[in-house]
Amino acid sequence: MTGGTAPHPTGDELLRILAALGNPHRLRIVAALTEGGRNYVSRLARELGIGRPLLHMHLQRLEAAGLVTGSLEQAADGKAVKYFEVTPFAFALTPEAVAQAAATITQEEKETVKETAR
């Protein structure tokens, strides 16, 4: 997902990426991590003004889409602290890229999309 030219994600990947970015909280999380760099959940929650459980849920969604990465580290006081950072990414969202991705959507994903549309 990184490099000089923008990759063409599969249909399933594109759906996960767009779904992950299709939420204002998640867009703000990516922006905060981009601008402020690597951060841990408690501090990020305070900066964004949202609760840790909600933030954690959004971070999981972003991580599943490959847009952020988390790492568990031990703090000086011995507590485990989970840090998150943006994974560099670039996608070219063109009609051709969408058509190419659509051709690779798995049947399971197609049915999920149909059910969501109802």
Side-chain angles (χ1 to χ4, degrees):
M1 285 192 233
T2 61
T5 60
H8 294 287
T10 67
D12 297 346
E13 291 169 337
L14 184 60
L15 288 171
R16 276 192 298 277
I17 292 162
L18 293 176
L21 292 174
N23 179 285
H25 288 302
R26 291 192 284 269
L27 283 177
R28 289 179 38 227
I29 292 165
V30 171
L33 290 172
T34 298
E35 293 166 4
R38 184 174 176 268
N39 207 341
Y40 61 95
V41 174
S42 294
R43 186 167 68 195
L44 188 58
R46 284 190 302 273
E47 288 175 6
L48 294 173
I50 62 176
R52 286 184 314 195
L54 180 61
L55 175 62
H56 197 307
M57 186 268 306
H58 287 305
L59 285 165
Q60 286 177 321
R61 191 80 180 265
L62 290 165
E63 192 170 27
L67 302 174
V68 302
T69 54
S71 60
L72 197 57
E73 298 177 18
Q74 190 170 2
D77 62 2
K79 293 182 181 177
V81 179
K82 188 147 187 185
Y83 284 87
F84 284 90
E85 60 189 328
V86 171
T87 303
F89 61 88
F91 300 100
L93 193 57
T94 64
E96 294 78 16
V98 171
Q100 184 178 2
T104 65
I105 297 173
T106 63
Q107 188 61 35
E108 182 179 307
E109 289 289 340
K110 288 179 186 175
E111 289 176 11
T112 303
V113 170
K114 276 186 185 177
E115 291 171 4
T116 304
R118 290 184 192 163

